[in-house]
Amino acid sequence: MLNIEFLNEKATKVNNALKKVSKILDVGEDEFLKTPMYPDRVKYYLIILYDELEAIACHILSNIHNEKIKENCLEKLSQEGVFSEKLNRLFQDFVKFKVNLFESGFNYSEKELYHLSKEIVDTLSNLFLKELAEVVRQLKEKQPKLAVPVNLVKLNHHASVIKGEVKRLEPFKKISKEEFLNSNFAIDRSRYFLVVAIDSALWICRHLSRQIGLKPSKDCFKNLGENGVISQDVAQKLSLISSLRDVLADPTKEVDKELLYNLVKSEFEDVSNRFIVEVAKFIKYGKQE
């Protein structure tokens, strides 16, 4: 999903970098060429500018294709036809410039640098933010309508954290019960991974409770279960697991090793997966009769 806060932050940084390059270029070509400090600063700000554009491009591409895209995003975006031809050509020139800059060890003709930098600044200043706003508007219109208004960016983040911590438990699921119960390392690491996952599950629970106007409760998962947001079975299991959170987080406190082993072996993965699926279904469709 689109993270408007992220895009606004990156767009602001793009604008700031453009202003800094523009201010240097305003000294004129002759002054630029005879003052070594100016080309060096322009290179520095252009690299910052490129990195911010790359981050924006990765986010847009990830939303267009509904998958995480992390590399060569500006080049890929220029081939998508999302922006105008003029901007797409500039993106391609900017990619070539960065490649050449690194390959040449930052030795780049000052004259070439001046004119290319001027073209980059002029084109981006005139077109980029305006076109970006339109691209974002179109992408927002294509996003699925939700029955429950939630912060999807943060909710997806915490769901990913839960899945990530479950994955980190995998090595301990593969060892024998006896080996697990006698391994301080397995027990300590499992406790930590579970606490991180529980905290994210609690964040999702509390956020969702606030968004649908439920009264605050000491037992968030039980509250969701009683109000038909998640199944009673999932609510009861997560209620029990979350009640162990403080014990698991405190290394000075003894933990029931048998219970911990069962959580690691399968129980936590099963219930956390069901929790994420049920929450996603509720957010999309609302309470099912």
Side-chain angles (χ1 to χ4, degrees), residues 99-162:
V99 170
N100 291 336
L101 193 63
F102 280 104
E103 287 181 349
S104 64
F106 287 83
N107 293 319
Y108 210 85
S109 161
E110 279 78 6
K111 192 175 184 66
E112 287 181 278
L113 178 64
Y114 179 84
H115 289 286
L116 179 57
S117 301
K118 190 163 181 53
E119 181 185 354
I120 288 172
V121 169
D122 290 345
T123 304
L124 289 176
S125 297
N126 291 329
L127 298 178
F128 181 66
L129 293 182
K130 185 189 302 182
E131 292 193 21
L132 177 62
E134 177 59 22
V135 168
V136 169
R137 185 191 66 78
Q138 292 177 8
L139 288 174
K140 285 178 69 176
E141 288 179 352
K142 293 178 181 178
Q143 289 185 340
K145 303 299 181 185
L146 301 176
V148 180
V150 294
N151 187 329
L152 266 181
V153 174
K154 289 189 176 180
L155 194 145
N156 284 335
H157 164 73
H158 285 286
S160 295
V161 168
I162 295 170

Side-chain angles (χ1 to χ4, degrees), residues 96-242:
K96 291 176 185 176
F97 163 76
K98 190 187 179 190
V99 170
N100 291 336
L101 193 63
F102 280 104
E103 287 181 349
S104 64
F106 287 83
N107 293 319
Y108 210 85
S109 161
E110 279 78 6
K111 192 175 184 66
E112 287 181 278
L113 178 64
Y114 179 84
H115 289 286
L116 179 57
S117 301
K118 190 163 181 53
E119 181 185 354
I120 288 172
V121 169
D122 290 345
T123 304
L124 289 176
S125 297
N126 291 329
L127 298 178
F128 181 66
L129 293 182
K130 185 189 302 182
E131 292 193 21
L132 177 62
E134 177 59 22
V135 168
V136 169
R137 185 191 66 78
Q138 292 177 8
L139 288 174
K140 285 178 69 176
E141 288 179 352
K142 293 178 181 178
Q143 289 185 340
K145 303 299 181 185
L146 301 176
V148 180
V150 294
N151 187 329
L152 266 181
V153 174
K154 289 189 176 180
L155 194 145
N156 284 335
H157 164 73
H158 285 286
S160 295
V161 168
I162 295 170
K163 292 179 179 179
E165 297 308 310
V166 167
K167 190 173 183 180
R168 294 173 79 178
L169 290 169
E170 282 291 329
F172 305 126
K173 293 171 63 175
K174 296 176 182 178
I175 63 179
S176 69
K177 181 177 180 180
E178 181 181 0
E179 186 179 354
F180 180 91
L181 297 179
N182 289 290
S183 170
N184 289 331
F185 176 76
I187 290 170
D188 289 344
R189 291 289 80 197
S190 296
R191 289 174 69 157
Y192 175 77
F193 298 151
L194 284 169
V195 167
V196 175
I198 290 168
D199 284 347
S200 279
L202 283 167
W203 188 95
I204 292 173
C205 185
R206 289 163 182 160
H207 178 64
L208 189 52
S209 297
R210 286 193 299 271
Q211 294 308 106
I212 61 177
L214 296 183
K215 292 181 180 180
S217 169
K218 291 182 179 180
D219 193 330
C220 184
F221 297 111
K222 182 180 178 182
N223 204 16
L224 288 188
E226 290 174 346
N227 285 276
V229 177
I230 58 178
S231 63
Q232 290 285 357
D233 181 40
V234 168
Q236 289 171 5
K237 288 180 179 179
L238 282 177
S239 175
L240 173 61
I241 293 170
S242 64

